[in-house]
Amino acid sequence: MLKRVHFPTSVLPYLLVAPQIIITLIFFIWPASQAVYQSFLIEDAFGLSTEFVWFENFQILFEDSQYLETFWRTIIFSAAVAVLSMGSALILAAFADRVVRGATTYRTLMIWPYAVAPVLAGALWVFMFNPTLGIFPYILEFIGIDWNHYLNGSQAMLLVIFAAAWKQIAYNFLFYLAAMQSIPRSLIEAAAIDGAGPVRRFWDHIFPLISPTTFFLLVINAVYAFFDTFGIIHAVTQGGPANSTTILVYKVFNDGFVGLDLGGSAAQSVILMILVIAMTVVQFRYVERKVEY
């Protein structure tokens, strides 16, 4: 007869998860619920009077051509940052996995950018690409490129994409390197004995084996591009020139704290939250099917 094991009821599991639940309630659930409630209101700039208007704030947003342009700009920006940062980190991790001499120093130098705050990362790129003082505009002038991201919206967007991707490379590098080092050496050696070159071994053996890490980083980088790039954009371009680098998270700040449109800003934050949640669900629903665990 099969004996069932019964564990005595204990309060310990609830005590262990209580801190995380409390943090989630205070710093996510409560602010999110406040934003949802405020998105149904129209308030004056001083917060002295409010009017419940249901979905009027959302209707105004979807009828605003500037907001729709910001929406699609955010999609392009996020995709570019994710692809650039993950692709660069993957290449660097592949080289780091093959380094024998000075491997510790090389990996340490690759990790350092992750410790830089987003605002400082943006400030570094501003100085390097300053049209008057920066070294890179001086170099680009020799090949016929007139660099001035203060006037050229396309150049400004490229600059914030490069700055945001550079900030995230170190994070992706850590995970890719750890994933590659967890692959048994016997598999790679067997492929080499069969005559597969380094590139063939990477695409046929290494890359499929690290697909769970790639999927995880895809989700993390998408969320990073939507939210955590605010500091970089604020330090580099402040959304300009002519709103060419304004993405959704920066527009929430600009409309709410600068324009004092509190209800419209709350509606934008709710849309942004729904968009990120939907994007994450789609990634888990469809992209994860191609992941081999």
Side-chain angles (χ1 to χ4, degrees):
M1 178 180 288
L2 181 63
K3 294 183 179 180
R4 294 184 177 181
V5 179
H6 296 277
F7 295 97
T9 303
S10 174
V11 73
L12 179 61
Y14 301 98
L15 293 177
L16 293 176
V17 300
Q20 183 61 44
I21 294 176
I22 293 174
I23 291 174
T24 303
L25 289 173
I26 294 176
F27 293 101
F28 179 75
I29 302 299
W30 182 69
S33 62
Q34 287 293 104
V36 172
Y37 171 72
Q38 198 169 18
S39 67
F40 296 117
L41 304 176
I42 289 182
E43 304 180 51
D44 65 356
F46 301 99
L48 300 177
S49 63
T50 60
E51 181 183 356
F52 197 83
V53 294
W54 288 100
F55 296 98
E56 184 176 332
N57 288 322
F58 296 94
Q59 181 180 356
I60 293 173
L61 286 178
F62 288 114
E63 292 176 353
D64 184 4
S65 60
Q66 184 178 358
Y67 180 77
L68 297 178
E69 291 177 4
T70 304
F71 181 90
W72 292 113
R73 187 185 303 117
T74 304
I75 299 296
I76 296 173
F77 170 80
S78 302
V81 170
V83 171
L84 184 59
S85 61
M86 291 177 62
S88 301
L90 182 61
I91 295 173
L92 293 171
F95 281 110
D97 193 39
R98 297 169 57 88
V99 171
V100 178
R101 298 182 59 183
T104 303
T105 303
Y106 176 80
R107 294 165 187 170
T108 302
L109 292 175
M110 285 301 306
I111 295 170
W112 275 3
Y114 185 61
V116 179
V119 175
L120 293 180
L124 288 173
W125 284 79
V126 166
F127 280 114
M128 290 190 298
F129 283 87
N130 186 281
T132 305
L133 305 174
I135 182 64
F136 285 102
Y138 180 76
I139 296 174
L140 292 172
E141 187 177 355
F142 281 98
I143 58 177
I145 298 178
D146 184 19
W147 179 273
N148 191 340
H149 63 274
Y150 295 114
L151 301 177
N152 191 308
S154 299
Q155 293 179 356
M157 177 56 75
L158 285 175
L159 182 57
V160 294
I161 287 174
F162 286 140
W166 175 82
K167 175 68 176 66
Q168 192 69 1
I169 285 175
Y171 182 88
N172 298 334
F173 171 81
L174 283 173
F175 280 90
Y176 272 132
L177 183 61
M180 291 180 183
Q181 292 182 340
S182 67
I183 298 175
R185 294 292 99 180
S186 58
L187 295 177
I188 310 303
E189 293 171 357
I193 292 173
D194 289 339
V199 177
R200 186 68 179 272
R201 291 199 301 269
F202 178 81
W203 287 114
D204 290 353
H205 300 277
I206 297 177
F207 189 70
L209 290 173
I210 63 173
S211 58
T213 302
T214 301
F215 172 70
F216 166 77
L217 290 177
L218 179 63
V219 176
I220 294 298
N221 279 264
V223 176
Y224 160 79
F226 270 86
F227 290 103
D228 294 341
T229 54
F230 168 83
I232 294 176
I233 293 177
H234 191 61
V236 177
T237 63
Q238 295 185 352
N243 294 324
S244 60
T245 57
T246 298
I247 62 174
L248 290 177
V249 67
Y250 195 82
K251 187 169 175 57
V252 170
F253 160 79
N254 199 46
D255 289 356
F257 291 91
V258 179
L260 296 180
D261 181 11
L262 303 181
S265 177
Q268 292 180 44
S269 66
V270 171
I271 294 174
L272 181 59
M273 178 178 63
I274 294 174
L275 177 63
V276 173
I277 292 174
M279 181 181 60
T280 305
V281 170
V282 169
Q283 288 175 333
F284 274 92
R285 185 73 175 84
Y286 297 103
V287 179
E288 192 182 21
R289 291 181 178 179
K290 300 181 181 179
V291 175
E292 297 291 339
Y293 291 95

